[in-house]
Amino acid sequence: MPQLSWDAVRPAPVVLVSGTEQVLADRAVRLLRDGLKRDDPSLEVSDISASDYAPGELITMASPSLFAEPRLIRVEGVEKCTDAFMTDMLAYLEEPADGAVVLLRHGGGVRGKKLLDAVRGGRGGGIEVVCAELKRESEKYDFARAEFARAGKKIAPAALNAITAAFADDLAELASACQQLIADSSEQITEATVDKYYGGRVEANAFRVADAAIAGRHGEALITLRHALASGADPVPMVAAFASKIRTMAKIAGVRGGSGQLASRFGLAPWQVERAQRDLRGWDEAGLARCIEVLAATDAEVKGAGRDPVFSLERLVRVVAAHGTV
């Protein structure tokens, strides 16, 4: 059966929206509904909860009304479906109703596997929209870039890097931030624009600290760190910012190849490879190894193994800024 991305969703007798990334799933559902509504404003939209389904409910909703309006039946929680829903849905696949689109939302897990296998095997003439979690930084970067491209908005690479870094832990917040910048900015979006809106984000401050320390600017890194902590920054994401950058540097260190080739090999974006290559100038293997050791110790200490997280962070900044020689 066809497998599509969330932004390529289209009508079919059965549309399976699978995967754990709820942001993308919500968008796919909304796009499908809006498209059907544009095609026929008389569209009837019904909702079913598969977890507390009553026998016969699906057949009732799929049956045409007096005026035969098109129907969209959205089924939530298929991963928690009742046996009654499984029975009715499997029977429905044998003869889908004319003029009806049944959308099945399955958020992951083994429950409902028999139904998923039937849909994926071609029964019911369905399609699958895959909404897998975006785990890699490069995937989130590509997601943000596509947001601006779809809106016809130009954004500088540094600005795109900054907005992705600021909201890397929450795709919903990243999507919301992109949409706000799209709505409020009439010209090209620059790094200064992102800083104006989101300069106070903990993650953004954390990456500024890490950038300054990696470049050897100890004083700037320490001042930025103390400002971030005074503004309410949590030490844990501060360490995570260092870990993200140093981990990328460790992957790229001593490896030859173009940015595109290395990006594909290590699951990064080309700009991340180029940035890591620049960051590595002036570093040696011993310094990188030493920083990784201190980073691991700091991570444990800020998560409860140490008594003074601030001291641990300042030590990390000092060691990284000295490229591991302290």
Side-chain angles (χ1 to χ4, degrees):
M1 67 179 296
Q3 288 189 323
L4 310 174
S5 62
W6 70 268
D7 53 352
V9 64
R10 59 175 173 79
V14 178
V15 178
L16 170 61
V17 180
S18 64
T20 58
E21 192 58 81
Q22 190 61 38
V23 173
L24 303 184
D26 289 344
R27 288 188 170 200
V29 173
R30 186 168 59 250
L31 276 177
L32 181 63
R33 180 203 62 196
D34 292 348
L36 290 170
K37 197 77 172 178
R38 281 193 304 271
D39 292 341
D40 193 332
S42 67
L43 176 74
E44 289 184 355
V45 181
S46 305
D47 292 297
I48 291 176
S49 172
S51 62
D52 54 7
Y53 176 83
E57 194 176 356
L58 173 64
I59 304 304
T60 300
M61 291 186 177
S63 300
S65 66
L66 179 63
F67 300 102
E69 296 93 345
R71 281 94 63 211
L72 170 63
I73 303 167
R74 301 179 296 197
V75 184
E76 282 291 329
V78 176
E79 71 278 6
K80 299 177 287 186
C81 69
T82 63
D83 291 339
F85 175 79
M86 180 78 72
T87 299
D88 282 2
M89 189 64 214
L90 287 171
Y92 181 85
L93 292 178
E94 299 301 324
E95 192 174 353
D98 291 337
V101 174
V102 176
L103 186 149
L104 304 173
R105 173 68 183 115
H106 192 284
V110 297
R111 180 64 176 165
K113 184 178 184 301
K114 184 178 180 180
L115 173 58
L116 299 188
D117 289 344
V119 175
R120 288 168 176 161
R123 289 171 61 184
I127 61 173
E128 181 175 9
V129 179
V130 180
C131 300
E133 181 183 357
L134 304 186
K135 295 181 179 180
R136 294 180 172 182
E137 294 178 12
S138 58
E139 292 174 328
K140 295 170 185 177
Y141 180 87
D142 290 342
F143 170 84
R145 180 172 57 186
E147 291 286 278
F148 293 101
R150 274 190 294 270
K153 287 283 187 178
K154 293 183 178 180
I155 180 168
L160 190 56
N161 180 10
I163 194 69
T164 304
F167 296 95
D169 293 334
D170 192 317
L171 190 67
E173 290 192 357
L174 175 59
S176 178
C178 291
Q179 292 304 314
Q180 182 173 7
L181 288 172
I182 289 168
D184 292 354
S185 303
S186 57
E187 300 178 353
Q188 183 181 30
I189 299 165
T190 65
E191 194 170 10
T193 311
V194 175
D195 187 65
K196 175 184 175 182
Y197 279 84
Y198 303 113
R201 283 286 298 191
V202 170
E203 293 88 347
N205 283 332
F207 277 97
R208 287 196 186 96
V209 175
D211 285 339
I214 288 169
R217 301 192 299 271
H218 175 255
E220 178 186 336
L222 198 57
I223 291 171
T224 307
L225 170 65
R226 289 172 178 170
H227 174 74
L229 293 172
S231 301
D234 189 307
V236 173
M238 301 291 290
V239 176
F242 275 90
S244 174
K245 295 187 72 66
I246 292 177
R247 182 168 56 243
T248 302
M249 291 167 63
K251 289 179 181 179
I252 301 303
V255 180
R256 295 182 179 180
S259 59
Q261 177 187 7
L262 296 178
S264 177
R265 176 178 173 183
F266 293 110
L268 303 166
W271 65 265
Q272 291 175 300
V273 174
E274 294 165 2
R275 180 59 186 265
Q277 289 171 333
R278 290 197 301 271
D279 288 341
L280 282 165
R281 293 170 187 165
W283 284 69
D284 58 27
E285 290 186 5
L288 189 57
R290 169 62 177 155
C291 286
I292 292 172
E293 291 175 352
V294 174
L295 178 61
T298 305
D299 183 67
E301 289 166 6
V302 300
K303 291 177 179 176
R307 290 185 291 180
D308 191 342
V310 174
F311 171 80
S312 298
L313 273 171
E314 291 185 350
R315 180 194 60 196
L316 176 64
V317 167
R318 184 172 68 253
V319 172
V320 171
H323 296 171
T325 60
V326 175

